[in-house]
Amino acid sequence: MELYFLGTNAGVPTLQRNVTSIGLRMLDERRALWLFDCGEGTQHQILSSPLKLSKLEKIFITHLHGDHVFGLPGLLSSRAYQGGTTPLTVYGPPGTDRMISTTMELSQSRVNYDLNIVEHTGGVLFEDDSFIVEAALLEHRIDSYGYRITEKDRPGSLDPAKMAEYGLKPGPLFGRLKRGETITLDDGQTLRPEDVLGVPKRGMVITILGDTRPCDNVQPLSIDADVLVHEATFMHDLADTAHEYYHSTSKQAAEAARAANVGQLIMTHFSSRYKDEDQLQPLLEEAQSVFPNTRLANEHQLIPVVHRKQES
């Protein structure tokens, strides 16, 4: 999987940065794109990216502030023109349906694909054979949610030497074993997947938080995640301002990452007062002094999701 940041600024776009939207690309069997938030200009940012709206499967909205949702009506309306005809589900807090439906109705916009809107107040939102997505309420001026995306463990690779011991050659039986099925060989012998498969491959865990100041739900959402995406609107010298406006500082983001034992912290949602990369560097240094494996989200940069190091 890969993360792609389409916007990293807080509140309003600037010449250097757009407002919030994050793409999550699944590169294996699913071959899908999920979006987290959809600030103004998101579809325009996608045009300059490797992301494809035809692959867009789900959109998760953290909260209904404009810098996180004003790009949603336009993207939904024009998705079909970019090859997006498959069903699309939007998950968001109460009010998401009314916002989308009202805008589409008043603008007389039509979509030629199945658009499903799921409003939630947290909990397990989605589960299939590969993923579980959970949400929990954070602490912001309006209801804001964080999302935890858990990829389920996958079967290990087939061991060629073990397969040869049973006289198995590539074919349909390989697929059945990979799917976890027990098979019966021609000689009547029963063969279980664990007899010929290697160690299961641990799934990834990604946590993406909406706007928040430090609160209790950050840790359960983030615990042992491979990647934590956390807002860092201000440096810590403005901690009082951050608290007043229900945001976090770079130091607070790093403290959350350290407490949750995550693999990597990616900071985003930067105040416009930090105009360029040079002015963001102190935020990075401040966070790295607390949690070394921290990076800044740079727009139009793919960040591969890698496993965090396991403690021995």
Side-chain angles (χ1 to χ4, degrees):
M1 293 188 288
E2 295 175 332
L3 288 166
Y4 192 94
F5 287 81
L6 294 158
T8 62
N9 209 61
V12 295
T14 68
L15 291 175
Q16 294 79 23
R17 299 189 298 268
N18 200 48
V19 286
T20 300
S21 185
I22 304 167
L24 175 62
R25 292 207 305 182
M26 285 78 167
L27 301 176
D28 293 332
E29 297 174 1
R30 197 177 197 95
R31 311 299 296 179
L33 168 66
W34 291 359
L35 279 185
F36 292 81
D37 286 334
C38 189
E40 178 184 355
T42 292
Q43 65 170 316
H44 193 267
Q45 292 285 83
I46 288 175
L47 292 175
S48 303
S49 81
L51 307 183
K52 303 295 182 184
L53 283 181
S54 59
K55 301 291 186 182
L56 181 59
E57 182 181 74
K58 297 181 183 298
I59 302 175
F60 297 89
I61 300 299
T62 63
H63 64 294
L64 296 179
H65 275 154
D67 57 327
H68 295 255
V69 297
F70 279 169
L72 193 53
L75 183 144
L76 295 176
S77 298
S78 61
R79 174 178 179 254
Y81 294 102
Q82 299 185 42
T85 57
T86 55
L88 172 63
T89 302
V90 179
Y91 300 84
T96 301
D97 191 353
R98 182 158 59 98
M99 184 203 70
I100 294 174
S101 299
T102 300
T103 304
M104 303 295 270
E105 178 186 350
L106 293 177
S107 63
Q108 297 187 17
S109 299
R110 301 287 184 269
V111 296
N112 61 348
Y113 54 87
D114 290 335
L115 175 61
N116 304 301
I117 302 172
V118 178
E119 295 188 341
H120 69 84
T121 55
V124 176
L125 307 182
F126 169 77
E127 181 173 5
D128 64 6
D129 292 339
S130 301
F131 289 92
I132 301 174
V133 180
E134 303 163 272
L137 185 65
L138 302 172
E139 192 170 313
H140 194 47
R141 289 192 294 117
I142 62 174
D143 285 356
S144 179
Y145 288 85
Y147 293 98
R148 180 180 176 92
I149 306 97
T150 302
E151 180 187 28
K152 295 182 179 180
D153 293 345
R154 293 169 292 168
S157 300
L158 290 166
D159 187 324
K162 291 182 179 179
M163 298 293 284
E165 289 178 11
Y166 293 98
L168 283 172
K169 297 180 180 179
L173 293 180
F174 275 39
R176 292 179 59 189
L177 288 165
K178 284 284 287 183
R179 290 193 296 271
E181 298 179 26
T182 296
I183 64 172
T184 302
L185 303 179
D186 292 340
D187 61 5
Q189 186 177 6
T190 299
L191 187 61
R192 302 168 302 169
E194 53 265 35
D195 294 330
V196 292
L197 294 177
V199 177
K201 298 176 181 177
R202 182 171 68 84
M204 301 287 189
V205 178
I206 301 168
T207 299
I208 298 175
L209 303 183
D211 291 4
T212 188
R213 59 189 184 189
C215 66
D216 291 342
N217 277 341
V218 168
Q219 184 163 13
L221 280 168
S222 309
I223 192 71
D224 293 335
D226 296 290
V227 176
L228 167 62
V229 179
H230 197 302
E231 69 130 287
T233 308
F234 301 104
M235 281 194 67
H236 203 67
D237 61 342
L238 294 174
D240 289 344
T241 301
H243 184 81
E244 180 182 356
Y245 290 99
Y246 290 84
H247 286 298
S248 297
T249 68
S250 51
K251 181 180 178 182
Q252 288 167 340
E255 289 171 341
R258 182 178 61 187
N261 190 37
V262 307
Q264 179 179 204
L265 169 65
I266 305 175
M267 299 192 302
T268 186
H269 199 267
F270 309 116
S271 168
S272 298
R273 71 180 60 218
Y274 311 111
K275 298 189 186 314
D276 53 36
E277 189 172 341
D278 288 343
Q279 290 180 315
L280 286 176
Q281 192 63 27
L283 280 79
L284 178 62
E285 293 170 358
E286 181 174 79
Q288 287 178 334
S289 69
V290 176
F291 187 80
N293 197 15
T294 299
R295 68 188 299 170
L296 300 172
N298 295 314
E299 295 183 19
H300 295 296
Q301 179 183 19
L302 278 172
I303 301 178
V305 179
V306 297
H307 281 122
R308 67 182 182 86
K309 293 182 180 179
Q310 298 283 338
E311 294 181 1
S312 58

